[in-house]
Amino acid sequence: AMWTVVPGTQATNSSASMAESDIRESASVAHLYGRKFVACESMTANGHVVGAYTFYPGNLKPTADLELASGVNRFVIHESAHQPVDDKRPGLGLGQYGQWFNRHETWASMAKPWTDYLARSCYLLQQGQNVADILYYYGEDDVVTSLFAHQHPKVPAGFNFDYLNKEALLQLVGFDGECFTTPAGSRYRWLVVSDKCRHMSQAVQQKLDSLRQLGAPIIDERRQSMAEALREMMPDVAAADMADLRFVHRSLTGTEIYWLNNRRSEPRHVDLVFRVAGLEPSLWHAETGATDPVSYEIRDGQTVVSFDMLPYDAVFVVFSGKPKSVSHHVEEARGGARLLTLNSPWTVQFDEQWGAPREVVFPKLMSYTDSDDPGIRYYSGTAVYRTTFNLRNQGDAKAFLDLGRVACMAQVFLNGHDLGVLWKEPYRVDVTEALIDGENQLEVRVVNQWVNRIIGDEQPDCQRRYTHTPTKFYRADSPLLPAGLLGPVSIVTFAEP
């Protein structure tokens, strides 16, 4: 299991670090015994600590990606209580526990791009065999989540590993003269004996001795660190800066699949060296299903791939097919000039059944929480923003609509074209094909979380309660969440390479 990781809040069950060990142990079992799926109770939350109904895909993604990085390839989302009626919302739940993933969530109608992201990521990470260089034998003294709850094995950057226990060591592991092997087809370059090993049974000692006699490379951390032993070895993935960068490698005939995750809250450029040659790389984006060519250079039995990553980004680098050349350069779009900022008033339509007026005009964008109208201040649900703007033809330049800050999700329509759901930063979408020369009609459907309406129902002057929750999560003085389209909204152009 992994509970939702919320920066700046205190975990109430296992820490994220312990959860990583818990998941990697289960994933290791799947790899060693040849099981395709690694399922995990995912994104659990205690509403009394981290805030009930505060979650949406944009702040859930870092937790989901950390699960993928630890070996998960099937999400079991916690929790999804059945909602038998329509007039009690948010509705039933498992006491204080969530993250309340059900049809009464405010963003349920916009959830498909999020579940598509999870599904595509899992599908690719179910293909072929997992690739890990190191079998990490942790001994007979304690369990993984006790030994490595707060400090993981000191595996050098660029190498991946699976945990190994006594039973699997004795029953599964062999050596073919090149790699450690298992009957399921897993292969490992090194076996590491943890420095946590205090007691070693005779059977284990005999098995290690027999492997050594076959010439198997065994690193004993009680005598030598992994960093020292692997100093001259080629990692699976290397970069000048591997900090806050996670990867998973799956291999199948003729194809190598790498999943890369930027764990930083800021963008970064990466020049990654992969232990792959003779195959052409491309970028695959699980968020959209799109694939892109990527800059690369094949040299010395490795491939250097260069690309940009967004904050908390996750992408696949897929190697397949014979490369057309030993190097390829993809020109990046130039510019990023702000062409137009939309400062015109916005007509905003609310759903009256949740206490808001049917329609108002916002002279400028603001959070609902700044409104003097309590129906708007405490509004939760979907609001429809409409405005118009004039634009001249931009020639060959690509144009993007940048919504600035959104709390928390948005679906964009331009001149009747559905441009999809934006569920995380940056809230930006390509509008090149939808723009027209002259007056453009823009509609943005924005959804915020349940929190504000629940707090509104706790106000002493509240005449009607709109929400129903399984337990009391908020008081009248609980802080409201920013809500709505906050902007600034602009049109940004990029010149084609």
Side-chain angles (χ1 to χ4, degrees), residues 78 89 94 107 110 133 186 212 271 275 323 344 386 489:
H78 189 286
R89 302 189 183 194
L94 183 62
W107 46 269
M110 296 187 186
D133 287 312
S186 295
R212 287 189 179 97
D271 297 304
R275 200 172 56 205
S344 56
R386 294 186 178 95
V489 178

Side-chain angles (χ1 to χ4, degrees), residues 30 77 101 112 126 136 183 230 247 253 256 285 331 356 377:
I77 296 176
F101 186 76
K112 190 175 186 300
Q126 292 164 6
Y136 192 84
L230 302 178
F247 78 95
T253 303
E256 304 296 325
H285 304 277
E331 289 284 349
R377 185 186 315 120

Side-chain angles (χ1 to χ4, degrees), residues 61-350:
K61 184 179 185 291
T63 300
D65 287 342
L66 189 56
E67 293 186 45
L68 294 170
S70 303
V72 167
N73 61 21
R74 174 170 281 184
F75 290 95
V76 182
I77 296 176
H78 189 286
E79 49 67 46
S80 187
H82 175 54
Q83 304 299 329
V85 297
D86 289 323
D87 62 344
K88 299 289 189 292
R89 302 189 183 194
L92 300 177
L94 183 62
Q96 73 253 40
Y97 300 108
Q99 41 98 15
W100 306 276
F101 186 76
N102 61 68
R103 69 189 183 94
H104 285 344
E105 181 56 270
T106 56
W107 46 269
S109 65
M110 296 187 186
K112 190 175 186 300
W114 168 235
T115 57
D116 283 349
Y117 171 75
L118 299 178
R120 292 189 189 105
S121 299
C122 288
Y123 178 79
L124 284 177
L125 293 175
Q126 292 164 6
Q127 305 308 305
Q129 291 272 6
N130 184 71
V131 177
D133 287 312
I134 295 165
L135 264 178
Y136 192 84
Y137 178 68
Y138 59 87
E140 306 166 59
D141 301 285
D142 207 343
V143 297
V144 165
T145 48
S146 173
L147 292 169
F148 303 107
H150 306 294
Q151 179 64 55
H152 301 308
K154 297 177 182 178
V155 176
F159 296 91
N160 231 328
F161 74 99
D162 278 336
Y163 284 114
L164 178 69
N165 72 349
K166 175 182 176 180
E167 179 183 0
L169 172 64
L170 296 179
Q171 296 185 7
L172 299 181
V173 177
F175 185 72
D176 65 1
E178 181 181 358
C179 290
F180 295 92
T181 62
T182 71
S186 295
R187 297 173 64 81
Y188 304 87
R189 297 186 176 213
W190 297 279
L191 190 154
V192 175
V193 177
S194 172
D195 57 5
K196 304 286 188 182
C197 292
R198 298 292 181 263
H199 167 262
M200 189 170 289
S201 63
Q202 185 177 8
V204 168
Q205 188 62 63
Q206 289 174 344
K207 180 62 179 278
L208 294 175
D209 289 342
S210 67
L211 290 169
R212 287 189 179 97
Q213 289 172 8
L214 294 173
I218 297 175
I219 301 167
D220 192 333
E221 278 193 315
R222 298 170 298 181
R223 300 179 179 85
Q224 184 184 30
S225 70
M226 274 189 281
E228 182 182 355
L230 302 178
R231 182 176 292 117
E232 303 300 323
M233 302 300 167
M234 183 187 300
D236 197 4
V237 180
D241 180 10
M242 287 291 289
D244 304 313
L245 189 67
R246 302 293 188 95
F247 78 95
V248 177
H249 180 188
R250 306 286 298 191
S251 180
L252 54 160
T253 303
T255 303
E256 304 296 325
I257 299 171
Y258 287 84
W259 175 85
L260 286 305
N261 178 212
N262 174 24
R263 301 299 302 167
R264 292 178 182 169
S265 59
E266 61 265 0
R268 66 197 294 181
H269 178 82
V270 292
D271 297 304
L272 296 171
V273 183
F274 295 90
R275 200 172 56 205
V276 177
L279 296 171
E280 185 168 45
S282 58
L283 283 181
W284 292 29
H285 304 277
E287 293 169 25
T288 61
T291 62
D292 291 317
V294 67
S295 297
Y296 69 87
E297 181 181 357
I298 301 172
R299 61 174 186 245
D300 302 324
Q302 302 174 100
T303 304
V304 182
V305 181
S306 303
F307 56 95
D308 292 324
M309 300 188 80
L310 295 169
Y312 295 116
D313 205 0
V315 298
F316 287 88
V317 177
V318 178
F319 292 84
S320 63
K322 186 176 180 180
K324 300 176 184 63
S325 64
V326 295
S327 65
H328 178 71
H329 180 66
V330 176
E331 289 284 349
E332 296 182 2
R334 303 184 306 277
R338 181 170 292 183
L339 182 65
L340 176 69
T341 298
L342 278 60
N343 291 318
S344 56
W346 294 78
T347 300
V348 185
Q349 183 178 330
F350 295 96

Side-chain angles (χ1 to χ4, degrees), residues 419-467:
L419 301 181
V421 172
L422 305 179
W423 53 270
K424 69 176 188 65
E425 294 181 343
Y427 292 90
R428 182 184 300 159
V429 63
D430 189 337
V431 294
T432 308
E433 300 301 321
L435 279 172
I436 59 176
D437 203 10
E439 185 175 85
N440 288 262
Q441 306 286 331
L442 175 62
E443 177 180 305
V444 184
R445 300 177 186 176
V446 179
V447 64
N448 67 313
Q449 302 103 309
W450 278 118
V451 174
N452 294 353
R453 184 62 267 171
I454 297 171
I455 295 171
D457 288 356
E458 296 297 325
Q459 301 306 306
D461 58 350
C462 180
Q463 300 298 309
R464 173 189 168 188
R465 294 187 67 88
Y466 294 89
T467 59

